């Protein structure tokens, strides 16, 4: 009986992660709302894992509340990402080892920017807002650098899966939101 219960709760969590991926993908269709959609999705999964009420309406409310500051975070991320893409483009014209290094650095910079957005979305709260979440990034990195590395790998896997087959972006966004919840619980010494 216990094994069946464990399997059913694991399957329910899997379903919730997929549902969150669909919700985040739909709410992030205008690219500028991606940080807010991630914050809403991460909050939804955090409530679900903590056995709190996790209706989809709460995800919508969190996303709406995070939207205003989330657009500024998205614009900053797009600006930094554009600089990294520009560097990658320049590196393509340089066939020397320096060009290769610049291309690798540009890709790493894209990953760091995306990881910072996910970490900030995971730290976003209605009380602290985006300013508190972004200011807390350095503290998160100092407190648990492994969590940032885990999220960087999750971002990289999301990028690779999406590059290989675009429809995998939807479930990957849910898994990315779950990764943000999991590293937070791991750093508190409790796995979801």
């Amino acid at each position: 009986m216990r094994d069946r219960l464990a399997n059913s709760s694991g399957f329910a969590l899997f379903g919730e992660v997929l549902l969150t991926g669909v919700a985040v993908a739909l709410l992030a269709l205008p690219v500028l709302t991606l940080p807010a959609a991630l914050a809403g999705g991460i909050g939804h999964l955090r409530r679900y894992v903590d056995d709190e009420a996790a209706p989809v309406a709460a995800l919508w409310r969190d996303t709406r509340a995070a939207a205003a500051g989330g657009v500024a975070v998205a614009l900053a991320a797009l600006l930094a990402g554009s600089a990294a893409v520009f560097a990658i483009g320049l590196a393509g014209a340089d066939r020397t080892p320096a060009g290769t290094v610049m291309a690798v650095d540009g890709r790493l910079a894209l990953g760091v920017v995306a990881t910072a957005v996910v970490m900030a979305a995971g730290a976003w709260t209605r009380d602290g807002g985006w300013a508190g979440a972004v200011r807390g990034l350095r503290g998160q990195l100092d407190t648990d650098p492994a969590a940032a590395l885990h999220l960087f790998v999750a971002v990289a896997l999301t990028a690779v899966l999406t590059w290989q087959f675009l429809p995998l972006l939807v479930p990957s966004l849910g898994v990315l939101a779950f990764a943000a919840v999991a590293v937070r619980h791991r750093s508190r010494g409790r796995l979801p």
Side-chain angles (χ1 to χ4, degrees):
M1 177 73 168
R2 176 172 252 179
D3 289 337
R4 199 171 87 185
L5 233 152
N7 288 339
S8 68
S9 67
F11 186 72
L13 177 60
F14 177 69
E16 205 65 32
V17 168
L18 291 179
L19 174 67
T20 301
V22 170
V24 169
L26 288 175
L27 293 170
L29 277 177
V31 175
L32 294 178
T33 60
L34 178 61
L38 275 172
I42 291 168
H44 172 74
L45 284 176
R46 187 176 298 127
R47 284 186 296 274
Y48 182 82
V49 167
D50 290 340
D51 286 330
E52 299 173 13
V56 176
L59 184 150
W60 172 246
R61 282 192 302 272
D62 281 351
T63 303
R64 277 191 323 181
V71 170
V73 170
L75 286 172
L78 283 173
L79 185 63
S82 297
V85 168
F86 182 70
I88 294 168
L90 285 178
D94 186 1
R95 299 289 178 210
T96 66
T100 304
V101 169
M102 194 159 82
V104 169
D105 286 348
R107 286 180 177 85
L108 283 173
L110 278 174
V112 167
V113 168
T115 302
V117 169
V118 173
M119 288 175 68
W124 179 86
T125 61
R126 286 177 183 253
D127 297 334
W130 285 105
V134 171
R135 266 184 274 153
L137 286 176
R138 179 61 189 225
Q140 286 183 47
L141 190 59
D142 290 342
T143 304
D144 192 5
L149 182 61
H150 291 310
L151 286 177
F152 182 84
V153 169
V155 164
L157 289 173
T158 298
V160 168
L161 287 173
T162 303
W163 167 68
Q164 290 180 344
F165 189 57
L166 187 60
L168 287 177
L169 175 65
V170 174
S172 294
L173 287 172
V175 172
L176 190 60
F178 183 66
V181 172
V183 297
R184 202 96 195 241
H185 280 264
R186 184 187 73 60
S187 65
R188 288 191 296 186
R190 189 182 74 152
L191 289 175

